[in-house]
């Protein structure tokens, strides 16, 4: 499967989620969107985003203030 990467570093809530929502429109069903963010609030935001959209939050991790999210598009 293909993977698309969205760099949302330096953006504050709710911009990382809004950019991810827009990016997901061009992602094929079953493909993965990787989002890189620096806002600590993005963890809760992406959990809520996936519950709302039905997309799957495969994983997230944090290293040196950078959060990386792996989201599989529903469908």
């Amino acid at each position: 499967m293909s993977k698309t990467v969205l760099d949302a570093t330096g953006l504050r809530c709710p911009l990382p989620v809004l950019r991810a929502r827009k990016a997901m429109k061009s992602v094929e069903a079953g493909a993965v969107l990787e989002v890189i963010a620096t806002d600590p609030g993005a963890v809760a935001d992406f959990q809520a985003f996936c519950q709302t959209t039905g997309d799957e939050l495969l994983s997230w991790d944090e290293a040196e203030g950078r959060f990386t999210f792996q989201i599989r598009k529903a469908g």
Side-chain angles (χ1 to χ4, degrees):
M1 277 291 153
S2 63
K3 179 169 76 172
T4 303
V5 178
L6 171 65
D7 185 355
T9 57
L11 299 178
R12 302 293 297 172
C13 175
L15 288 176
V17 168
L18 294 176
R19 297 268 172 98
R21 184 180 305 271
K22 184 176 181 181
M24 274 296 204
K25 292 178 182 177
S26 63
V27 173
E28 295 179 22
V32 174
L33 175 67
E34 179 178 287
V35 182
I36 303 165
T38 49
D39 183 356
V43 175
D45 290 347
F46 279 107
Q47 289 170 337
F49 171 79
C50 289
Q51 288 177 348
T52 301
T53 62
D55 298 327
E56 181 183 2
L57 181 59
L58 298 173
S59 67
W60 70 270
D61 61 30
E62 185 268 334
E64 299 177 8
R66 290 170 52 105
F67 298 87
T68 304
F69 302 90
Q70 304 290 328
I71 304 168
R72 184 187 325 271
K73 185 168 181 173

